[in-house]
Every structure is written in C-alpha cells, then in structure tokens.
Short mmCIF file of all heavy atoms in Angstrom, two decimals:
data_model
loop_
_atom_site.label_atom_id
_atom_site.label_comp_id
_atom_site.label_asym_id
_atom_site.label_seq_id
_atom_site.Cartn_x
_atom_site.Cartn_y
_atom_site.Cartn_z
N MET A 270 14.04 19.66 -0.56
CA MET A 270 13.57 19.08 -1.81
C MET A 270 14.57 19.36 -2.93
O MET A 270 15.07 20.47 -3.06
CB MET A 270 12.22 19.68 -2.20
CG MET A 270 11.10 19.22 -1.30
SD MET A 270 10.88 17.45 -1.42
CE MET A 270 9.16 17.33 -1.23
N ALA A 271 14.85 18.34 -3.68
CA ALA A 271 15.80 18.44 -4.78
C ALA A 271 15.11 18.98 -6.03
O ALA A 271 13.91 18.84 -6.20
CB ALA A 271 16.38 17.06 -5.07
N ARG A 272 15.89 19.58 -6.90
CA ARG A 272 15.36 20.06 -8.16
C ARG A 272 15.30 18.93 -9.17
O ARG A 272 16.10 18.00 -9.13
CB ARG A 272 16.24 21.17 -8.71
CG ARG A 272 16.18 22.42 -7.91
CD ARG A 272 16.90 23.52 -8.65
NE ARG A 272 17.39 24.48 -7.67
CZ ARG A 272 18.41 25.28 -7.86
NH1 ARG A 272 19.07 25.22 -8.99
NH2 ARG A 272 18.77 26.12 -6.94
N THR A 273 14.40 19.04 -10.10
CA THR A 273 14.24 18.05 -11.15
C THR A 273 15.48 18.04 -12.04
O THR A 273 15.96 19.08 -12.46
CB THR A 273 13.00 18.36 -12.00
OG1 THR A 273 11.87 18.42 -11.13
CG2 THR A 273 12.75 17.31 -13.05
N GLY A 274 16.00 16.83 -12.31
CA GLY A 274 17.13 16.66 -13.21
C GLY A 274 18.50 16.74 -12.56
O GLY A 274 19.49 16.41 -13.19
N GLU A 275 18.60 17.17 -11.31
CA GLU A 275 19.88 17.26 -10.63
C GLU A 275 20.32 15.90 -10.09
O GLU A 275 19.49 15.15 -9.59
CB GLU A 275 19.80 18.21 -9.43
CG GLU A 275 19.90 19.65 -9.74
CD GLU A 275 19.96 20.49 -8.48
OE1 GLU A 275 19.79 19.96 -7.36
OE2 GLU A 275 20.16 21.70 -8.62
N ILE A 276 21.61 15.63 -10.14
CA ILE A 276 22.16 14.44 -9.49
C ILE A 276 22.46 14.81 -8.05
O ILE A 276 23.15 15.79 -7.79
CB ILE A 276 23.44 13.96 -10.20
CG1 ILE A 276 23.14 13.54 -11.63
CG2 ILE A 276 24.07 12.81 -9.42
CD1 ILE A 276 24.35 13.19 -12.45
N ASN A 277 21.92 14.04 -7.12
CA ASN A 277 22.12 14.29 -5.69
C ASN A 277 22.70 13.04 -5.04
O ASN A 277 22.40 11.92 -5.44
CB ASN A 277 20.79 14.63 -5.02
CG ASN A 277 20.18 15.88 -5.60
OD1 ASN A 277 20.64 16.97 -5.32
ND2 ASN A 277 19.16 15.71 -6.43
N ILE A 278 23.51 13.25 -4.02
CA ILE A 278 24.09 12.16 -3.24
C ILE A 278 23.30 12.04 -1.94
O ILE A 278 23.10 13.03 -1.24
CB ILE A 278 25.58 12.40 -2.93
CG1 ILE A 278 26.38 12.63 -4.21
CG2 ILE A 278 26.16 11.24 -2.12
CD1 ILE A 278 26.39 11.47 -5.17
N ILE A 279 22.88 10.83 -1.61
CA ILE A 279 22.12 10.59 -0.38
C ILE A 279 23.08 10.62 0.80
O ILE A 279 24.07 9.89 0.83
CB ILE A 279 21.39 9.23 -0.45
CG1 ILE A 279 20.42 9.22 -1.63
CG2 ILE A 279 20.68 8.95 0.87
CD1 ILE A 279 19.82 7.86 -1.92
N LYS A 280 22.78 11.48 1.77
CA LYS A 280 23.61 11.59 2.98
C LYS A 280 23.13 10.66 4.09
O LYS A 280 23.93 10.05 4.79
CB LYS A 280 23.59 13.03 3.50
CG LYS A 280 23.99 14.08 2.50
CD LYS A 280 25.44 14.42 2.65
CE LYS A 280 25.79 15.66 1.87
NZ LYS A 280 26.38 15.42 0.61
N LYS A 281 21.79 10.56 4.23
CA LYS A 281 21.24 9.81 5.36
C LYS A 281 19.79 9.46 5.06
O LYS A 281 19.10 10.20 4.38
CB LYS A 281 21.33 10.67 6.62
CG LYS A 281 20.76 10.06 7.85
CD LYS A 281 20.84 11.04 9.02
CE LYS A 281 20.06 10.52 10.19
NZ LYS A 281 19.99 11.47 11.28
N ILE A 282 19.34 8.33 5.59
CA ILE A 282 17.94 7.93 5.52
C ILE A 282 17.38 8.01 6.93
O ILE A 282 17.90 7.39 7.85
CB ILE A 282 17.78 6.48 4.98
CG1 ILE A 282 18.47 6.30 3.64
CG2 ILE A 282 16.31 6.10 4.91
CD1 ILE A 282 17.89 7.10 2.51
N GLY A 283 16.32 8.79 7.10
CA GLY A 283 15.72 8.97 8.42
C GLY A 283 14.47 8.11 8.58
O GLY A 283 14.13 7.31 7.72
N GLY A 284 13.80 8.29 9.71
CA GLY A 284 12.56 7.58 9.97
C GLY A 284 12.76 6.35 10.83
O GLY A 284 13.85 6.09 11.33
N LYS A 285 11.67 5.61 11.00
CA LYS A 285 11.71 4.39 11.81
C LYS A 285 12.53 3.32 11.10
O LYS A 285 12.73 3.39 9.88
CB LYS A 285 10.29 3.86 12.02
CG LYS A 285 9.41 4.79 12.81
CD LYS A 285 8.03 4.19 12.95
CE LYS A 285 7.12 5.14 13.68
NZ LYS A 285 5.75 4.65 13.77
N GLU A 286 12.95 2.33 11.85
CA GLU A 286 13.77 1.24 11.30
C GLU A 286 13.06 0.56 10.12
O GLU A 286 13.68 0.27 9.10
CB GLU A 286 14.07 0.22 12.40
CG GLU A 286 14.90 -0.97 11.94
CD GLU A 286 16.29 -0.59 11.49
OE1 GLU A 286 16.84 0.41 12.00
OE2 GLU A 286 16.85 -1.29 10.62
N GLU A 287 11.78 0.34 10.25
CA GLU A 287 11.00 -0.31 9.19
C GLU A 287 11.02 0.53 7.90
O GLU A 287 11.19 0.00 6.81
CB GLU A 287 9.56 -0.49 9.69
CG GLU A 287 8.63 -1.14 8.71
CD GLU A 287 7.24 -1.26 9.30
OE1 GLU A 287 7.09 -1.75 10.44
OE2 GLU A 287 6.29 -0.84 8.62
N THR A 288 10.87 1.83 8.05
CA THR A 288 10.88 2.73 6.91
C THR A 288 12.26 2.78 6.26
O THR A 288 12.38 2.73 5.03
CB THR A 288 10.47 4.16 7.34
OG1 THR A 288 9.20 4.09 7.97
CG2 THR A 288 10.41 5.10 6.16
N ARG A 289 13.31 2.84 7.08
CA ARG A 289 14.67 2.86 6.55
C ARG A 289 14.97 1.59 5.76
O ARG A 289 15.54 1.64 4.67
CB ARG A 289 15.69 3.02 7.67
CG ARG A 289 15.74 4.43 8.22
CD ARG A 289 16.98 4.67 9.05
NE ARG A 289 17.17 3.70 10.12
CZ ARG A 289 16.79 3.88 11.37
NH1 ARG A 289 16.17 4.99 11.72
NH2 ARG A 289 17.02 2.96 12.28
N ARG A 290 14.55 0.44 6.30
CA ARG A 290 14.78 -0.82 5.59
C ARG A 290 14.02 -0.86 4.27
O ARG A 290 14.55 -1.33 3.26
CB ARG A 290 14.34 -2.00 6.47
CG ARG A 290 15.54 -2.78 6.97
CD ARG A 290 15.15 -4.03 7.69
NE ARG A 290 14.82 -3.64 9.06
CZ ARG A 290 13.83 -4.13 9.77
NH1 ARG A 290 13.07 -5.06 9.29
NH2 ARG A 290 13.59 -3.71 10.98
N PHE A 291 12.79 -0.36 4.25
CA PHE A 291 11.99 -0.32 3.03
C PHE A 291 12.69 0.52 1.96
O PHE A 291 12.83 0.09 0.81
CB PHE A 291 10.60 0.25 3.33
CG PHE A 291 9.75 0.45 2.12
CD1 PHE A 291 9.18 -0.63 1.47
CD2 PHE A 291 9.53 1.72 1.62
CE1 PHE A 291 8.39 -0.45 0.34
CE2 PHE A 291 8.75 1.91 0.49
CZ PHE A 291 8.18 0.82 -0.16
N LEU A 292 13.15 1.71 2.34
CA LEU A 292 13.83 2.58 1.38
C LEU A 292 15.15 1.98 0.92
O LEU A 292 15.51 2.08 -0.26
CB LEU A 292 14.04 3.97 1.99
CG LEU A 292 12.78 4.81 2.15
CD1 LEU A 292 13.07 6.06 2.97
CD2 LEU A 292 12.22 5.19 0.80
N GLU A 293 15.88 1.33 1.82
CA GLU A 293 17.14 0.69 1.44
C GLU A 293 16.89 -0.46 0.46
O GLU A 293 17.67 -0.66 -0.47
CB GLU A 293 17.89 0.19 2.67
CG GLU A 293 18.51 1.33 3.46
CD GLU A 293 19.12 0.89 4.78
OE1 GLU A 293 19.09 -0.32 5.09
OE2 GLU A 293 19.64 1.77 5.49
N ASN A 294 15.81 -1.18 0.63
CA ASN A 294 15.47 -2.25 -0.30
C ASN A 294 15.13 -1.71 -1.69
O ASN A 294 15.31 -2.41 -2.69
CB ASN A 294 14.31 -3.10 0.22
CG ASN A 294 14.72 -3.99 1.37
OD1 ASN A 294 15.88 -4.33 1.53
ND2 ASN A 294 13.76 -4.35 2.20
N LEU A 295 14.63 -0.48 -1.75
CA LEU A 295 14.35 0.16 -3.04
C LEU A 295 15.61 0.71 -3.69
O LEU A 295 15.60 1.08 -4.86
CB LEU A 295 13.34 1.29 -2.86
CG LEU A 295 11.91 0.88 -2.54
CD1 LEU A 295 11.06 2.13 -2.30
CD2 LEU A 295 11.32 0.06 -3.67
N GLY A 296 16.72 0.79 -2.93
CA GLY A 296 17.99 1.28 -3.47
C GLY A 296 18.45 2.60 -2.89
O GLY A 296 19.50 3.12 -3.28
N PHE A 297 17.70 3.17 -1.96
CA PHE A 297 18.09 4.43 -1.34
C PHE A 297 19.04 4.14 -0.19
O PHE A 297 18.62 3.79 0.91
CB PHE A 297 16.86 5.18 -0.80
CG PHE A 297 15.90 5.59 -1.88
CD1 PHE A 297 14.80 4.81 -2.19
CD2 PHE A 297 16.10 6.76 -2.58
CE1 PHE A 297 13.91 5.18 -3.17
CE2 PHE A 297 15.21 7.15 -3.57
CZ PHE A 297 14.13 6.36 -3.87
N VAL A 298 20.35 4.27 -0.44
CA VAL A 298 21.37 4.01 0.57
C VAL A 298 22.29 5.22 0.65
O VAL A 298 22.49 5.94 -0.34
CB VAL A 298 22.18 2.74 0.27
CG1 VAL A 298 21.32 1.50 0.41
CG2 VAL A 298 22.80 2.79 -1.10
N ALA A 299 22.86 5.45 1.83
CA ALA A 299 23.78 6.57 2.02
C ALA A 299 24.94 6.42 1.04
O ALA A 299 25.49 5.34 0.87
CB ALA A 299 24.27 6.59 3.45
N GLY A 300 25.27 7.53 0.39
CA GLY A 300 26.35 7.52 -0.60
C GLY A 300 25.87 7.26 -2.02
O GLY A 300 26.61 7.45 -2.97
N GLY A 301 24.63 6.82 -2.17
CA GLY A 301 24.07 6.54 -3.49
C GLY A 301 23.59 7.79 -4.20
O GLY A 301 23.37 8.83 -3.57
N GLN A 302 23.45 7.70 -5.50
CA GLN A 302 22.96 8.83 -6.29
C GLN A 302 21.46 8.70 -6.51
O GLN A 302 20.95 7.61 -6.69
CB GLN A 302 23.63 8.88 -7.66
CG GLN A 302 25.08 9.26 -7.61
CD GLN A 302 25.64 9.42 -9.01
OE1 GLN A 302 25.00 9.12 -10.00
NE2 GLN A 302 26.87 9.89 -9.08
N VAL A 303 20.79 9.85 -6.53
CA VAL A 303 19.36 9.89 -6.81
C VAL A 303 19.09 11.11 -7.69
O VAL A 303 19.67 12.18 -7.48
CB VAL A 303 18.52 9.91 -5.51
CG1 VAL A 303 18.78 11.13 -4.69
CG2 VAL A 303 17.06 9.77 -5.81
N ILE A 304 18.25 10.92 -8.70
CA ILE A 304 17.87 12.01 -9.61
C ILE A 304 16.35 12.11 -9.61
O ILE A 304 15.67 11.10 -9.84
CB ILE A 304 18.36 11.74 -11.05
CG1 ILE A 304 19.87 11.54 -11.07
CG2 ILE A 304 17.94 12.87 -11.97
CD1 ILE A 304 20.39 11.02 -12.40
N VAL A 305 15.83 13.30 -9.36
CA VAL A 305 14.38 13.52 -9.42
C VAL A 305 14.00 13.69 -10.89
O VAL A 305 14.51 14.58 -11.57
CB VAL A 305 13.98 14.76 -8.61
CG1 VAL A 305 12.49 15.03 -8.75
CG2 VAL A 305 14.35 14.59 -7.15
N LEU A 306 13.13 12.82 -11.38
CA LEU A 306 12.70 12.88 -12.78
C LEU A 306 11.48 13.77 -12.95
O LEU A 306 11.38 14.50 -13.92
CB LEU A 306 12.41 11.48 -13.30
CG LEU A 306 13.61 10.51 -13.27
CD1 LEU A 306 13.17 9.14 -13.72
CD2 LEU A 306 14.73 11.04 -14.13
N SER A 307 10.52 13.69 -12.01
CA SER A 307 9.35 14.56 -12.07
C SER A 307 8.71 14.69 -10.70
O SER A 307 8.85 13.80 -9.86
CB SER A 307 8.32 14.04 -13.08
OG SER A 307 7.77 12.84 -12.63
N LYS A 308 8.02 15.82 -10.50
CA LYS A 308 7.30 16.09 -9.26
C LYS A 308 5.87 16.47 -9.61
O LYS A 308 5.65 17.28 -10.50
CB LYS A 308 7.90 17.26 -8.49
CG LYS A 308 9.26 17.05 -7.93
CD LYS A 308 9.61 18.27 -7.10
CE LYS A 308 11.09 18.49 -7.05
NZ LYS A 308 11.46 19.66 -6.29
N ILE A 309 4.93 15.87 -8.89
CA ILE A 309 3.53 16.25 -9.05
C ILE A 309 2.92 16.37 -7.66
O ILE A 309 2.77 15.36 -6.97
CB ILE A 309 2.76 15.21 -9.89
CG1 ILE A 309 3.38 15.07 -11.27
CG2 ILE A 309 1.28 15.59 -9.99
CD1 ILE A 309 2.85 13.93 -12.09
N SER A 310 2.64 17.58 -7.25
CA SER A 310 2.06 17.90 -5.94
C SER A 310 2.75 17.17 -4.79
O SER A 310 2.11 16.56 -3.94
CB SER A 310 0.55 17.66 -5.92
OG SER A 310 0.25 16.29 -6.10
N GLY A 311 4.08 17.21 -4.77
CA GLY A 311 4.84 16.62 -3.67
C GLY A 311 5.26 15.19 -3.92
O GLY A 311 6.26 14.74 -3.38
N ASN A 312 4.51 14.44 -4.69
CA ASN A 312 4.90 13.08 -5.03
C ASN A 312 5.91 13.14 -6.16
O ASN A 312 5.89 14.06 -6.97
CB ASN A 312 3.68 12.27 -5.47
CG ASN A 312 2.64 12.21 -4.37
OD1 ASN A 312 2.97 12.15 -3.20
ND2 ASN A 312 1.38 12.26 -4.75
N MET A 313 6.82 12.17 -6.21
CA MET A 313 7.85 12.27 -7.23
C MET A 313 8.26 10.92 -7.79
O MET A 313 8.06 9.89 -7.16
CB MET A 313 9.06 13.02 -6.71
CG MET A 313 9.61 12.55 -5.40
SD MET A 313 10.95 13.60 -4.78
CE MET A 313 10.15 15.14 -4.55
N ILE A 314 8.81 10.99 -8.98
CA ILE A 314 9.42 9.84 -9.61
C ILE A 314 10.91 10.11 -9.63
O ILE A 314 11.35 11.17 -10.10
CB ILE A 314 8.88 9.61 -11.03
CG1 ILE A 314 7.38 9.33 -10.97
CG2 ILE A 314 9.63 8.46 -11.71
CD1 ILE A 314 6.70 9.23 -12.32
N VAL A 315 11.69 9.17 -9.09
CA VAL A 315 13.13 9.35 -9.01
C VAL A 315 13.84 8.19 -9.69
O VAL A 315 13.29 7.10 -9.83
CB VAL A 315 13.60 9.48 -7.55
CG1 VAL A 315 13.00 10.69 -6.89
CG2 VAL A 315 13.28 8.24 -6.75
N ASN A 316 15.06 8.45 -10.10
CA ASN A 316 15.91 7.41 -10.67
C ASN A 316 16.96 7.09 -9.61
O ASN A 316 17.74 7.95 -9.22
CB ASN A 316 16.56 7.93 -11.95
CG ASN A 316 17.28 6.85 -12.71
OD1 ASN A 316 17.50 5.76 -12.20
ND2 ASN A 316 17.65 7.16 -13.93
N VAL A 317 16.96 5.85 -9.16
CA VAL A 317 17.94 5.41 -8.17
C VAL A 317 18.43 4.02 -8.60
O VAL A 317 17.63 3.15 -8.93
CB VAL A 317 17.36 5.41 -6.74
CG1 VAL A 317 16.20 4.46 -6.60
CG2 VAL A 317 18.41 5.11 -5.71
N LYS A 318 19.74 3.86 -8.67
CA LYS A 318 20.35 2.59 -9.09
C LYS A 318 19.75 2.06 -10.39
O LYS A 318 19.32 0.92 -10.47
CB LYS A 318 20.24 1.55 -7.99
CG LYS A 318 21.09 1.86 -6.79
CD LYS A 318 21.28 0.66 -5.94
CE LYS A 318 22.26 1.00 -4.82
NZ LYS A 318 22.63 -0.14 -4.06
N GLU A 319 19.69 2.92 -11.40
CA GLU A 319 19.22 2.53 -12.73
C GLU A 319 17.74 2.13 -12.79
O GLU A 319 17.31 1.50 -13.73
CB GLU A 319 20.08 1.40 -13.30
CG GLU A 319 21.57 1.62 -13.20
CD GLU A 319 22.14 2.35 -14.39
OE1 GLU A 319 21.55 2.26 -15.47
OE2 GLU A 319 23.17 3.02 -14.22
N SER A 320 16.97 2.45 -11.76
CA SER A 320 15.54 2.12 -11.72
C SER A 320 14.73 3.37 -11.43
O SER A 320 15.18 4.25 -10.71
CB SER A 320 15.25 1.09 -10.63
OG SER A 320 15.94 -0.10 -10.87
N ARG A 321 13.52 3.40 -11.97
CA ARG A 321 12.60 4.49 -11.66
C ARG A 321 11.69 4.05 -10.53
O ARG A 321 11.12 2.97 -10.58
CB ARG A 321 11.76 4.84 -12.87
CG ARG A 321 12.55 5.51 -13.94
CD ARG A 321 11.69 5.89 -15.09
NE ARG A 321 12.52 6.54 -16.09
CZ ARG A 321 12.04 7.15 -17.14
NH1 ARG A 321 10.75 7.20 -17.35
NH2 ARG A 321 12.85 7.73 -17.99
N VAL A 322 11.56 4.91 -9.53
CA VAL A 322 10.76 4.60 -8.35
C VAL A 322 9.86 5.79 -8.06
O VAL A 322 10.31 6.94 -8.10
CB VAL A 322 11.68 4.33 -7.13
CG1 VAL A 322 10.86 4.01 -5.89
CG2 VAL A 322 12.66 3.20 -7.42
N ALA A 323 8.59 5.52 -7.77
CA ALA A 323 7.65 6.57 -7.36
C ALA A 323 7.55 6.57 -5.84
O ALA A 323 7.36 5.52 -5.23
CB ALA A 323 6.29 6.31 -7.98
N ILE A 324 7.73 7.74 -5.24
CA ILE A 324 7.61 7.87 -3.79
C ILE A 324 6.75 9.08 -3.46
O ILE A 324 6.68 10.04 -4.24
CB ILE A 324 8.98 7.97 -3.08
CG1 ILE A 324 9.81 9.12 -3.64
CG2 ILE A 324 9.74 6.67 -3.18
CD1 ILE A 324 11.11 9.34 -2.91
N ASP A 325 6.10 9.03 -2.30
CA ASP A 325 5.27 10.16 -1.89
C ASP A 325 6.10 11.16 -1.08
O ASP A 325 7.26 10.92 -0.78
CB ASP A 325 4.04 9.69 -1.12
CG ASP A 325 4.37 9.03 0.21
OD1 ASP A 325 5.54 9.04 0.63
OD2 ASP A 325 3.43 8.50 0.83
N ARG A 326 5.48 12.27 -0.76
CA ARG A 326 6.17 13.36 -0.06
C ARG A 326 6.74 12.90 1.28
O ARG A 326 7.86 13.26 1.64
CB ARG A 326 5.21 14.52 0.16
CG ARG A 326 5.81 15.69 0.90
CD ARG A 326 4.78 16.76 1.14
NE ARG A 326 4.36 17.36 -0.10
CZ ARG A 326 4.70 18.59 -0.49
NH1 ARG A 326 5.45 19.33 0.30
NH2 ARG A 326 4.28 19.07 -1.63
N ASP A 327 5.98 12.10 2.04
CA ASP A 327 6.45 11.64 3.35
C ASP A 327 7.73 10.82 3.23
O ASP A 327 8.67 11.00 4.01
CB ASP A 327 5.37 10.83 4.06
CG ASP A 327 4.17 11.68 4.44
OD1 ASP A 327 4.34 12.91 4.63
OD2 ASP A 327 3.07 11.12 4.54
N MET A 328 7.77 9.90 2.26
CA MET A 328 8.97 9.08 2.06
C MET A 328 10.13 9.95 1.58
O MET A 328 11.25 9.79 2.03
CB MET A 328 8.71 7.98 1.03
CG MET A 328 7.90 6.86 1.55
SD MET A 328 8.80 5.90 2.77
CE MET A 328 7.55 4.74 3.20
N ALA A 329 9.85 10.87 0.68
CA ALA A 329 10.90 11.74 0.14
C ALA A 329 11.52 12.60 1.26
O ALA A 329 12.73 12.84 1.25
CB ALA A 329 10.33 12.63 -0.95
N ASN A 330 10.72 13.01 2.21
CA ASN A 330 11.24 13.83 3.31
C ASN A 330 12.17 13.06 4.24
O ASN A 330 12.92 13.67 5.00
CB ASN A 330 10.10 14.45 4.09
CG ASN A 330 9.44 15.58 3.34
OD1 ASN A 330 10.06 16.25 2.52
ND2 ASN A 330 8.18 15.81 3.62
N LYS A 331 12.15 11.75 4.19
CA LYS A 331 13.03 10.94 5.03
C LYS A 331 14.39 10.71 4.39
O LYS A 331 15.32 10.21 5.02
CB LYS A 331 12.36 9.60 5.33
CG LYS A 331 11.15 9.77 6.25
CD LYS A 331 10.43 8.48 6.47
CE LYS A 331 9.24 8.56 7.37
NZ LYS A 331 8.53 9.78 7.52
N ILE A 332 14.54 11.10 3.13
CA ILE A 332 15.80 10.93 2.40
C ILE A 332 16.53 12.27 2.43
O ILE A 332 16.11 13.23 1.82
CB ILE A 332 15.53 10.47 0.95
CG1 ILE A 332 14.76 9.18 0.95
CG2 ILE A 332 16.86 10.33 0.20
CD1 ILE A 332 14.19 8.79 -0.39
N MET A 333 17.65 12.31 3.16
CA MET A 333 18.44 13.55 3.29
C MET A 333 19.52 13.57 2.22
O MET A 333 20.29 12.61 2.09
CB MET A 333 19.11 13.62 4.66
CG MET A 333 18.19 13.42 5.82
SD MET A 333 16.88 14.63 5.84
CE MET A 333 15.79 13.93 7.03
N ILE A 334 19.56 14.68 1.47
CA ILE A 334 20.59 14.81 0.42
C ILE A 334 21.49 15.98 0.74
O ILE A 334 21.18 16.84 1.52
CB ILE A 334 19.98 14.97 -0.98
CG1 ILE A 334 19.00 16.12 -1.01
CG2 ILE A 334 19.31 13.69 -1.40
CD1 ILE A 334 18.53 16.49 -2.39
#
C-alpha cells in the first residue's frame, strides 16, 4: 500500500485479463504515475493521468508499485 501524497510508478497490473483491461481503461498502465489522494478503510481515491479515480481495496491490491 502506498502512502498518501507520494508519487508512485506502476510496475505491473495483476489479476484476470478482464480486470487488467478495466484498470488499463481507467489509466493504470505499467510505467504510469499514480498518487494516493485519500484512504478510507482500504478504499482510496487516486490521481492517475490527471484524473481522480476511486478504487476499492481489491482493485488497489492488483496494482503493483
């Protein structure tokens, strides 16, 4: 889990093909930057490609930084 406010580089997207495609469509791609804006009980709001996206703990765990 990343700390709030840190810039992180995405290394890999895990999970099933369907899940990887969904995350890639949201902007989560290997080599991209992601910043955690806030965390509330495992769910988080992140900034990726100039957009704010809300993801749950399960989705966040599939994004390797």
Side-chain angles (χ1 to χ4, degrees):
M270 289 297 215
R272 291 189 207 156
T273 303
E275 279 186 353
I276 297 174
N277 299 285
I278 304 298
I279 300 171
K280 305 264 192 262
K281 178 183 170 185
I282 305 294
K285 296 179 183 176
E286 180 64 29
E287 180 180 310
T288 304
R289 285 196 306 265
R290 251 187 278 140
F291 174 74
L292 289 170
E293 287 173 1
N294 287 336
L295 289 176
F297 296 96
V298 292
Q302 290 186 352
V303 63
I304 303 169
V305 176
L306 300 176
S307 68
K308 292 186 208 179
I309 301 171
S310 64
N312 301 324
M313 51 185 63
I314 297 174
V315 297
N316 189 348
V317 62
K318 292 197 174 187
E319 312 271 335
S320 299
R321 290 182 180 190
V322 180
I324 56 175
D325 66 7
R326 179 183 293 252
D327 293 333
M328 285 291 177
N330 286 333
K331 291 176 179 26
I332 302 168
M333 308 301 167
I334 54 171

